[in-house]
Amino acid sequence: MFLLTFIVAVVVNFVGYLPFGNINLTAVQMSVNKGMKQALVFILTFSIFEACFTYVLMRFAEWFATKKDMMHWLDWVLIAVFIILGVNSWRTAKKELKPDTNHRTRDSIRTGIILGIFNPMQIPFWMIGGTYLISHEWITTEGFGLEIFAVGAAIGAFSALYLFARFAQYIQNKFALSHQIINKSVACIFFALAIIHVVKLSFF
């Protein structure tokens, strides 16, 4: 049962980070603007915090599922995050790339910590998904079940974000795209996601 719990965590969180969102787009930007090494530092840091918060959220998944009002406010927080990241991406596109500095590793770690802690999508994702997995007995909460699940979730997140970072560099090299084009494209995706969430909250 522990093996199934681990596999389910890896697969579910890997798939969860495939749709465009603030985390995988940040990994894309990091790989384009700062290089793959700094992107890996960010992804590893984020994944460690992902494991910690996944464990906490899974402990309280059933309790979170009863807090419907929280979902509404989390959507507005997510809209604000998308707008802030979109503006930041647009500003980054206008700047010239600077040579590597000794401070970039620290910056990548800080970004991973901040997004690992303030990740609005994580709460509803595990609040709904965690309750479903537990109720359908796809995972076990006995013994070290949730600890194993948290580790699997971190590996799933790391794998998905690594693929995004690698793919971004491949696209940049293959089509000789400038960092301005990529950052502006990322900014437009962030703004589009914000608009989609506003429409969803306003009309649905």
Side-chain angles (χ1 to χ4, degrees), residues 47-177:
S47 298
I48 291 172
F49 276 82
E50 172 84 356
C52 297
F53 277 84
T54 296
Y55 174 78
V56 173
L57 289 172
M58 290 299 289
R59 277 290 179 197
F60 297 99
E62 292 179 329
W63 179 81
F64 278 123
T66 64
K67 304 297 179 182
K68 302 298 182 183
D69 291 341
M70 188 181 293
M71 295 286 290
H72 176 78
W73 290 110
L74 284 174
D75 274 325
W76 286 110
V77 171
L78 191 59
I79 290 169
V81 169
F82 283 143
I83 293 174
I84 292 171
L85 291 175
V87 171
N88 184 62
S89 299
W90 197 267
R91 287 180 176 176
T92 301
K94 295 182 178 180
K95 297 177 181 178
E96 291 294 327
L97 283 179
K98 297 179 180 179
D100 243 345
T101 66
N102 293 328
H103 301 291
R104 287 196 165 178
T105 298
R106 186 170 57 193
D107 292 341
S108 299
I109 292 174
R110 184 172 63 243
T111 303
I113 293 173
I114 292 173
L115 291 182
I117 295 174
F118 300 103
N119 181 11
M121 284 300 294
Q122 191 181 35
I123 295 178
F125 182 78
W126 288 125
M127 184 170 65
I128 297 171
T131 302
Y132 179 87
L133 293 173
I134 292 173
S135 63
H136 285 74
E137 298 183 349
W138 282 40
I139 66 173
T140 180
T141 58
E142 297 177 1
F144 293 101
L146 289 183
E147 287 82 356
I148 293 172
F149 186 88
V151 172
I155 292 174
F158 182 93
S159 301
L161 297 179
Y162 178 80
L163 286 179
F164 268 96
R166 274 294 180 195
F167 185 68
Q169 287 208 325
Y170 171 79
I171 292 296
Q172 185 183 30
N173 296 331
K174 184 73 173 178
F175 300 100
L177 298 177

